[in-house]
Amino acid sequence: MSLRIVVCVKYVPDATGDRHFAEDLTVDRDDVDGLLSELDEYAVEQALQIKEAADDEAEITVLTVGPEDAKDALRKALSMGADKAVHVEDDDLHGTDVMGTSLVLAKAIEKTGYDLVIAGMASTDGTMGVLPAILSERLGVPQVTLLSEVSVADGVVKGRRDGDTASEQLEASLPAVVSVTDQSGEARYPSFKGIMAAKKKPVESLDLDDLDIDADEVGLEGAWTKVDSAAERPARTAGTIVKDEGEGGKQLAEFLAGQKFI
């Protein structure tokens, strides 16, 4: 039986764009270009490497929760080499936080079927980094997170987690959830052949009804967290120029002390 790998990916606002909040204090995703979260590209890459090591005896499904444009993230993952995609889209998902997102992902993963779930270490917009752990709890399976190296053999996933002072070798029996860091290996660039092939790969669309989730469990109303207020960052002001006429060091020290840097 083929190894069933599900990779959770996210469509995020381009970090180089002009990002801001909408009137309801959610991230305005309409006025900025989006893309596949860079950290999730590492998750897709590790899934592809696991499949290659298994002599292609594996199937990779990429899964995302988001608006219509989120299909762009799925197409990028499909063009990298994933086999199929699942897109959960529903107007009632607007404003969903990590708790609601983890519920939706868990239901979609169970519906799809899986042996291994792979995620990036965090999203590049929210950067919470807790979703893989919450997801493993909802699925009732082990988690092996923040891996810089990962492999699968004989029904066991193994990996290396690098810390500041030591590296740990971890393993868990499948099914399991893992997350990988940006040190796990550079993600491949989609080839022209891969881009063309992605257009023919299946993308399944699901909504909350398909997953038996009530609208009040997700969205802004169901969120466990919310933004109370937000203000634009002040415009950058001109810096202070110090002309050194013998007192430059003293002026610099006074400036640093005034800013409480020293």
Side-chain angles (χ1 to χ4, degrees):
M1 182 177 178
S2 294
L3 178 69
R4 299 169 298 172
I5 304 173
V6 176
V7 185
C8 297
V9 301
K10 190 175 184 182
Y11 181 74
V12 299
D14 188 343
T16 63
D18 182 19
R19 296 174 294 171
H20 53 275
F21 288 108
E23 291 184 3
D24 60 2
L25 295 180
T26 61
V27 176
D28 188 340
R29 300 178 184 274
D30 295 329
D31 294 335
V32 63
D33 292 333
L35 72 172
L36 170 62
S37 177
E38 180 183 357
L39 292 174
D40 291 341
E41 291 187 18
Y42 295 99
V44 176
E45 175 61 32
Q46 290 307 305
L48 294 169
Q49 291 190 23
I50 290 171
K51 179 177 178 177
E52 290 165 356
D55 294 327
D56 289 335
E57 288 297 317
E59 183 179 61
I60 301 172
T61 301
V62 284
L63 166 65
T64 196
V65 177
E68 173 67 23
D69 289 345
K71 282 188 172 66
D72 290 344
L74 295 177
R75 293 190 186 99
K76 174 70 177 292
L78 291 172
S79 67
M80 290 173 66
D83 300 298
K84 60 181 182 178
V86 176
H87 180 203
V88 182
E89 179 187 8
D90 198 297
D91 290 341
D92 289 326
L93 286 168
H94 175 72
T96 301
D97 66 358
V98 68
M99 297 302 294
T101 299
S102 66
L103 172 63
V104 175
L105 287 172
K107 292 284 190 178
I109 289 168
E110 290 173 336
K111 186 178 183 67
T112 301
Y114 72 102
D115 298 300
L116 177 66
V117 178
I118 305 179
M121 60 187 290
S123 63
T124 54
D125 55 353
T127 64
M128 294 186 69
V130 298
L131 188 140
I134 300 174
L135 187 56
S136 72
E137 178 68 18
R138 289 195 183 277
L139 293 172
V141 300
Q143 58 167 307
V144 187
T145 55
L146 300 176
L147 300 181
S148 55
E149 184 179 274
V150 60
S151 62
V152 176
D154 301 322
V156 175
V157 58
K158 298 181 180 181
R160 188 185 77 242
R161 178 191 293 155
D162 295 323
D164 293 336
T165 59
S167 293
E168 302 171 293
Q169 296 292 335
L170 307 170
E171 65 177 56
S173 299
L174 298 180
V177 173
V178 305
S179 68
V180 298
T181 72
D182 55 357
Q183 301 301 308
S184 58
E186 186 175 350
R188 67 194 65 188
Y189 193 81
S191 64
F192 177 75
K193 180 180 179 181
I195 294 172
M196 297 305 294
K199 296 180 179 181
K200 298 180 180 179
K201 293 178 179 178
V203 178
E204 181 181 7
S205 295
L206 301 174
D207 59 19
L208 293 180
D209 288 339
D210 295 321
L211 301 176
D212 294 324
I213 296 175
D214 293 332
D216 59 6
E217 296 180 86
V218 295
L220 284 173
E221 294 301 318
W224 291 36
T225 58
K226 67 177 181 179
V227 177
D228 288 328
S229 63
E232 290 189 16
R233 179 183 299 173
R236 181 175 295 180
T237 59
T240 301
I241 299 176
V242 176
K243 293 183 178 180
D244 188 4
E245 297 177 350
E247 296 289 325
K250 181 180 178 181
Q251 293 181 59
L252 178 59
E254 290 175 347
F255 174 79
L256 293 174
Q259 299 296 318
K260 297 183 178 181
F261 291 137
I262 58 174

